[in-house]
Amino acid sequence: MSNEEKKVEATAVNETEAQNIHIRPPCPGGFHYTVQSGDTMYFIARRFGISLNDLIAANPQVRDPNLIYPGQVLCIPKMAPVPPGPCPGGFLYTVQPGDTMYTIAQKFNVSLDALIAANPQIKDPNLIYPGQVLCIPASAPVTCPNGFIYVVRPGDTLSGIASMFGTTVDQIMAANPHIKDPNLIYPGQRLCIPLIPTAMPRRHCFMMHPTHYCPGAMGMGMIDIEKRELLVVARDLPDPRHFGKDRVVLMVRYREMEEFKTVEMMPMAHGMMMCHHMMEGTMDKDPVFLIGAAVRFPFAFGPLFLGAIVPIFI
């Protein structure tokens, strides 16, 4: 073969190689990778945890495995992933393109050290590849003193969970400070669903104690400090006419230095009586409530049937 013929053949080969650089080879079950400056077939095989021979076999368009070029597209064949060890209390995760051990740890709110320790089959934490299966260890226990625990199901979103339980995304986030991104929750994750608001309504319930005039009587009440509302219910009170009176009243004193206010008890069914009263002014720590017989004019109170002194921390 003449020198001119050799030059023509070499030129034809170089043109073919140049065309092969831009060919995307078929890659069933695997994924494509674009060669970077400094890459070798050996280094790429090691990066993705596959054998050099498998990488070469998946890329027949590469005539010489020792000659690859930046920009060339290779097929990274899918390999059977090394199964993770036991994953008690955690769950399995399949590595996605672009994942690193650090980003996976961040995504699932576990420390990088804990993630590495849960996956001893990973010899180099800097080398993981798509399709690899990792054990995501259980994160710190979620406490929920003012609500209940909900386990995230496939398809759940934080907004959907909030709507389901009549709360808001902000309230769920406040009850779950370990969640950094409301768009990143995963099946099996435990969330605290707040049931009791952080600022509790200041409501106080109390029982009223009977006197010797009616030892079988019962009374109870509720004070709503925010609404400044009082509700008292009593039963089995004596007939005030037995004491020369014509009605049953509630005597209320909210402050030590003021006079008692009088509110008439209204009869209900089954021997019960009720009183509803809107409070006025401010309140001391220990308001006094008395139920007894009374006459309107001239006003006279007694005897006393039920009484209560309610310790309230304002």
Side-chain angles (χ1 to χ4, degrees):
M1 181 181 294
S2 67
N3 290 336
E4 291 299 324
E5 288 174 334
K6 291 180 179 179
K7 289 180 181 178
V8 171
E9 182 182 9
T11 302
V13 170
N14 290 339
E15 289 176 354
T16 302
E17 292 292 342
Q19 292 173 357
N20 286 342
I21 289 177
H22 303 289
I23 293 175
R24 291 175 68 87
C27 199
F31 60 94
H32 289 104
Y33 171 76
T34 302
V35 177
Q36 307 296 311
S37 179
D39 276 347
T40 66
M41 292 288 272
Y42 172 79
F43 178 79
I44 294 171
R46 186 169 180 269
R47 175 185 297 171
F48 293 109
I50 59 178
S51 72
L52 179 59
N53 288 337
D54 286 332
L55 180 61
I56 292 172
N59 293 275
Q61 80 283 6
V62 178
R63 293 189 175 186
D64 184 349
N66 294 313
L67 290 176
I68 58 174
Y69 309 92
Q72 193 169 11
V73 179
L74 302 181
C75 170
I76 308 300
K78 182 178 181 180
M79 302 298 294
V82 178
C87 196
F91 61 94
L92 299 179
Y93 172 76
T94 301
V95 176
Q96 305 299 311
D99 277 346
T100 66
M101 291 289 271
Y102 175 76
T103 60
I104 293 171
Q106 290 289 101
K107 180 186 295 185
F108 295 114
N109 191 43
V110 298
S111 70
L112 180 59
D113 288 343
L115 181 61
I116 292 172
N119 293 275
Q121 79 282 8
I122 304 295
K123 304 306 179 185
D124 185 347
N126 295 314
L127 291 175
I128 61 173
Y129 53 91
Q132 201 167 12
V133 179
L134 302 182
C135 169
I136 308 300
S139 55
V142 176
T143 59
C144 196
N146 294 323
F148 61 93
I149 298 296
Y150 174 78
V151 180
V152 176
R153 297 176 296 183
D156 275 346
T157 64
L158 216 54
S159 60
I161 294 170
S163 177
M164 182 190 308
F165 294 114
T167 183
T168 66
V169 171
D170 287 344
Q171 288 175 331
I172 293 180
M173 291 287 287
N176 296 272
H178 58 282
I179 297 180
K180 307 304 180 185
D181 184 343
N183 296 313
L184 284 179
I185 60 173
Y186 54 91
Q189 191 172 14
R190 294 164 59 83
L191 301 181
C192 172
I193 307 300
L195 187 63
I196 303 174
T198 304
M200 288 287 293
R202 291 191 294 169
R203 295 172 182 165
H204 303 268
C205 295
F206 59 90
M207 298 294 296
M208 301 190 73
H209 304 284
T211 65
H212 66 279
Y213 288 101
C214 51
M218 297 177 61
M220 62 181 297
M222 182 190 75
I223 304 172
D224 189 321
I225 303 298
E226 304 298 334
K227 295 182 179 179
R228 311 197 64 77
E229 189 173 10
L230 169 67
L231 179 67
V232 174
V233 178
R235 62 175 296 177
D236 298 331
L237 298 176
D239 188 331
R241 291 174 294 182
H242 294 165
F243 304 96
K245 304 297 193 295
D246 59 9
R247 67 195 64 236
V248 176
V249 298
L250 171 69
M251 300 281 284
V252 181
R253 189 183 71 183
Y254 300 115
R255 296 180 62 81
E256 185 176 27
M257 300 305 294
E258 70 182 13
E259 298 293 329
F260 278 93
K261 291 180 172 58
T262 304
V263 187
E264 187 170 351
M265 299 284 293
M266 305 304 295
M268 301 172 62
H270 308 295
M272 299 185 67
M273 303 191 79
M274 183 188 75
C275 173
H276 177 259
H277 176 61
M278 300 303 296
M279 299 184 293
E280 302 172 2
T282 57
M283 181 186 300
D284 280 344
K285 291 185 178 180
D286 299 325
V288 179
F289 305 103
L290 308 173
I291 293 178
V295 63
R296 175 177 293 181
F297 186 82
F299 180 78
F301 178 79
L304 175 67
F305 299 149
L306 296 167
I309 301 174
V310 182
I312 298 178
F313 299 96
I314 306 299

